[in-house]
Amino acid sequence: MRETVTPTHCPYCALQCGMNLTPAPDGRGVVVSERTEFPVNRGALCGKGRTAPAVLAAGVRLTSPLVRDEGGALVPASWEEALGRVGRGLGGIRDTYGADAVGVFGGGGLTNEKAYALGKFARVALGTSQIDYNGRFCMSSAAAAGNLAFGLDRGLPFPLEDIPRTGCVILVGSNPAETMPPSLRYFTELRENGGTLIVVDPRRTKTAEHADLHLAPRPGTDLALALGLLHLVVAEGRTDEAYIRERTGGWEETRAAAMAHWPEYVERITGVPVPQLREAVRLFCEPEAAMVLTARGPEQQSKGTDTVGAWINLCLATGRAGRPLSGYGCLTGQGNGQGGREHGQKADQLPGYRKLTDPAARAHVAGVWGVDPDTLPGPGRSAYELLDALGTDIRALLLMGSNPVVSAPRAAHIEGRIRSLDFLAVCDVVLSETAALADVVLPVTQWAEETGTTTSLEGRVLLRRRAITPPEGVRSDLEVMHELAARLGRDGENLEKKFPTDPEEVFEELRRASAGGPADYSGITYRRLAEESGVFWPCPADASGPHPGTPRLFLDRFATGDGRARFVPVSHRAAAEEPDEAYPVLLTTGRVVAQYQSGAQTRRVDELNAAAPGPFVELHPRLAERIGVAEGEPVAVVSRRGRAVAPARITTAIRPDTVFMPFHWAGEGRANTLTNPALDPTSRMPEFKACAVRLEAVEAGQPTPTALQAAATAAYSVPPSP
Ligand code: SF4
């Protein structure tokens, strides 16, 4: 018998590594193997991708709907009963309190088809403006800054393959050695080719160990750092005056702002010595081409848009944007973080990256959807603001592909808000910490069990293919929306007809809805995606033949009205919460290689748990000595929002004024219990990367790390299927 090999992509991060799947010999699940012809990862996978099939197993994932019984327990139920309850729960609140009393919360892991359908579902089936998604927590500051400067936001405006051929890369607040290990080869090849790598990170991460120069600013000060570098660029006469004149606007104001940031002043703010600033400028400016790549470090701040803008200004002043092998890019995090932010699950957005406030965009999309443009609601609240309003004017929530009980800032407060809802429905693969609070949990298909498209951090649209038949008892998110629409239609309007269940049919509609928009997918088809290694948007439908897609943006002009990039003048300001006497240390948060985001899936994989069994507090030996904590002993981290406890991990790789916690775990070690929801005024992104805390040794009788791990593991138990 011939083995069926399905070429597809990883379910996790935005690198979207190619992989092959074959049915497992015992008939249960799939086996992952190398897909060497996919150019981005050339067969390489990290442990998360390799072990992804473990989450397909019964006993790990949900295989039956769950409803809350009269005693308050979640118990198995039929789909008919569960869907009926959700229809009545959402519809009843809509009809009693108005459409905006129902919220919808999506995720950056949803396929393009699901993200598109969810935005449409909120605005057409429910009529609510209250929709946003967890991608707001991930890279919305880079998106906002990119739109301001270039008139368009696409994570990387060039393919990853350009990185080894440029002269210098400044990697700001990014740790690809842990977050997307197969991508590290692009940076090692850069160095092998004679280029240099500068890493900006408060921690000496695994990525920083590969750098030619590591700058370790205090968390929340990389805006000042970028301004200091721009100051030196100007002072040393390294600006590209012809480029500034011909391809940009707004330089003089930006120049003046940068000149107020003297290197010595910047050293005082950031802790980065002036000679290192000068060395960074030399390495960045001497080669013909160079890049700046940012990730969550500069973005997850209450001044994230300005911080990314400052790095873009550095690129523009030196002529390093919209030129071959030069540019600014954002390393998007979630699997479909890019596509998920283009097709309408964002509060202010319609498909194709159109604006909900634009009358022409409303008319176009309403035409595709077959509704009156006047019936489309306006923009709603951003993710944190939406979650913070739960239980107040938002009384019911439909949540898909997200786990805010672990991933939201000020998580204990948000957990309380979720608990105060009148009705919560969650669609998920596993019983996440948030799903465990739901009135109804709908088990949905995942990754290898369904077909759909994602858009990688390069703006490369990819086809994920179904490799195995899903277990009985689960349905796809598209089927769920179809069924719920049938229950939410008024006066026999057959609303479900607007919500097809076939992913390709949804994609065909998405193509039409995106046509002419900034993220134009109209020239992309499933057939093309099956034959090619992805297609870069924009890819408009072209009557004269297939459009080749656009791997490299801005080479001729930027996407602004006059084709010029915009300098945006910015100045340093402090984090929303600076250390003081009561909370003298800075906390920054991030990821570890063996876990992914809120850990809802990866914490269910034995191999990954063995590698990363639980949370920890990384701190410098001097700080550990001051509070009397030894390696492995529990330490309490306390902020104005709560307290978390985890074992100490003592290392000189972190600044003595800073501690680090990974955010993948629930329970006592939940890092987001501590984080500050202060929002960036433009992107509405919370400040995960810097808040003030104090540390305390944990006294006898308080939870130990072992007890914490046992409690977290117990929380994973899945109710039996009927
Ligand atoms: Fe999957 Fe990302 Fe790992 Fe690649 S790097 S295997 S996409 S988690």
Side-chain angles (χ1 to χ4, degrees), residues 550-574:
T550 317
R552 294 172 182 82
L553 294 167
F554 314 139
L555 291 180
D556 300 322
R557 68 190 308 280
F558 293 96
T560 54
D562 60 6
R564 289 165 175 265
R566 295 272 175 273
F567 282 100
V568 177
V570 293
S571 289
H572 169 70
R573 59 182 188 276

Side-chain angles (χ1 to χ4, degrees), residues 10-19 41 44-50 179-183 591 596:
C10 175
Y12 296 119
C13 85
L15 197 58
Q16 284 297 284
C17 291
M19 56 170 60
N41 62 309
L45 296 170
C46 78
K48 298 183 288 283
R50 245 186 330 95
T179 55
M180 41 182 75
S183 72
R591 290 167 50 188
Y596 180 69

Side-chain angles (χ1 to χ4, degrees), residues 137-226:
F137 298 159
C138 191
M139 65 274 140
S140 50
S141 293
N147 279 321
L148 286 170
F150 307 130
L152 188 70
D153 152 46
R154 196 182 85 185
L156 294 180
F158 43 75
L160 285 162
E161 69 184 45
D162 284 2
I163 290 174
R165 295 185 292 135
T166 191
C168 175
V169 174
I170 306 183
L171 203 48
V172 191
S174 174
N175 185 12
E178 297 226 40
T179 55
M180 41 182 75
S183 72
L184 200 61
R185 76 171 167 89
Y186 293 102
F187 302 100
T188 50
E189 284 171 19
L190 163 77
R191 297 186 68 215
E192 283 162 14
N193 291 343
T196 52
L197 176 64
I198 302 172
V199 169
V200 178
D201 199 303
R203 304 163 63 218
R204 195 177 67 246
T205 60
K206 288 194 174 122
T207 308
E209 283 169 8
H210 291 264
D212 297 277
L213 179 62
H214 172 211
L215 310 179
R218 282 179 75 234
T221 65
D222 32 8
L223 170 53
L225 183 71

Side-chain angles (χ1 to χ4, degrees), residues 385-431:
E385 293 163 297
L386 190 158
L387 294 172
D388 193 30
L390 300 181
T392 61
D393 56 309
I394 301 178
R395 292 169 168 261
L397 184 71
L398 172 65
L399 188 139
M400 203 172 267
S402 187
N403 187 15
V405 165
V406 177
S407 61
R410 197 187 175 196
H413 169 75
I414 292 303
E415 182 177 338
R417 298 254 52 94
I418 291 171
R419 287 179 187 276
S420 71
L421 281 164
D422 291 357
F423 183 79
L424 172 64
V426 173
C427 299
D428 210 329
V429 171
V430 294
L431 192 69

Side-chain angles (χ1 to χ4, degrees), residues 290-562:
M291 297 173 178
V292 173
L293 304 178
T294 68
R296 307 302 81 75
E299 298 162 16
Q300 290 178 327
Q301 298 185 29
S302 60
K303 52 180 183 295
T305 305
D306 283 2
T307 303
V308 175
W311 289 103
I312 291 176
N313 288 343
L314 182 69
C315 289
L316 294 176
T318 51
R320 297 179 185 291
R323 279 178 164 170
L325 305 180
S326 277
Y328 161 78
C330 153
L331 294 169
T332 299
Q334 295 192 81
N336 196 28
Q338 181 66 48
R341 73 189 195 240
E342 296 165 359
H343 296 298
Q345 62 175 331
K346 216 169 160 191
D348 56 353
Q349 192 195 66
L350 288 169
Y353 224 131
R354 289 182 153 96
K355 286 194 171 67
L356 193 49
T357 48
D358 174 3
R362 293 170 67 88
H364 172 81
V365 174
V368 174
W369 289 352
V371 299
D372 179 345
D374 292 340
T375 63
L376 296 179
R381 294 176 173 94
S382 73
Y384 180 78
E385 293 163 297
L386 190 158
L387 294 172
D388 193 30
L390 300 181
T392 61
D393 56 309
I394 301 178
R395 292 169 168 261
L397 184 71
L398 172 65
L399 188 139
M400 203 172 267
S402 187
N403 187 15
V405 165
V406 177
S407 61
R410 197 187 175 196
H413 169 75
I414 292 303
E415 182 177 338
R417 298 254 52 94
I418 291 171
R419 287 179 187 276
S420 71
L421 281 164
D422 291 357
F423 183 79
L424 172 64
V426 173
C427 299
D428 210 329
V429 171
V430 294
L431 192 69
S432 70
E433 286 76 8
T434 308
L437 304 181
D439 296 285
V440 181
V441 183
L442 301 174
V444 288
T445 50
Q446 53 176 316
W447 167 61
E449 300 163 350
E450 57 184 17
T451 294
T453 62
T454 59
T455 306
S456 77
L457 76 174
E458 299 175 291
R460 187 194 293 253
V461 185
L462 301 163
L463 185 62
R464 272 200 209 150
R465 297 169 174 89
R466 173 170 157 150
I468 47 167
T469 307
E472 265 185 54
V474 307
R475 298 192 184 177
S476 74
D477 293 288
L478 296 177
E479 287 169 327
V480 167
M481 283 184 265
H482 177 89
E483 290 293 337
L484 292 180
R487 288 160 176 79
L488 288 165
R490 290 174 168 130
D491 307 324
E493 63 181 324
N494 293 331
L495 201 51
E496 69 276 18
K497 287 194 175 149
K498 292 191 183 299
F499 294 92
T501 57
D502 173 30
E504 187 166 4
E505 196 178 337
V506 177
F507 189 78
E508 287 298 308
E509 189 183 305
L510 181 159
R511 291 176 60 203
R512 295 198 302 281
S514 74
D520 190 333
Y521 282 39
S522 60
I524 305 174
T525 61
Y526 268 33
R527 190 166 168 188
R528 272 190 78 175
L529 295 178
E531 290 166 356
E532 301 174 31
S533 294
V535 179
F536 291 82
W537 70 259
C539 180
D542 191 337
S544 63
H547 186 285
T550 317
R552 294 172 182 82
L553 294 167
F554 314 139
L555 291 180
D556 300 322
R557 68 190 308 280
F558 293 96
T560 54
D562 60 6

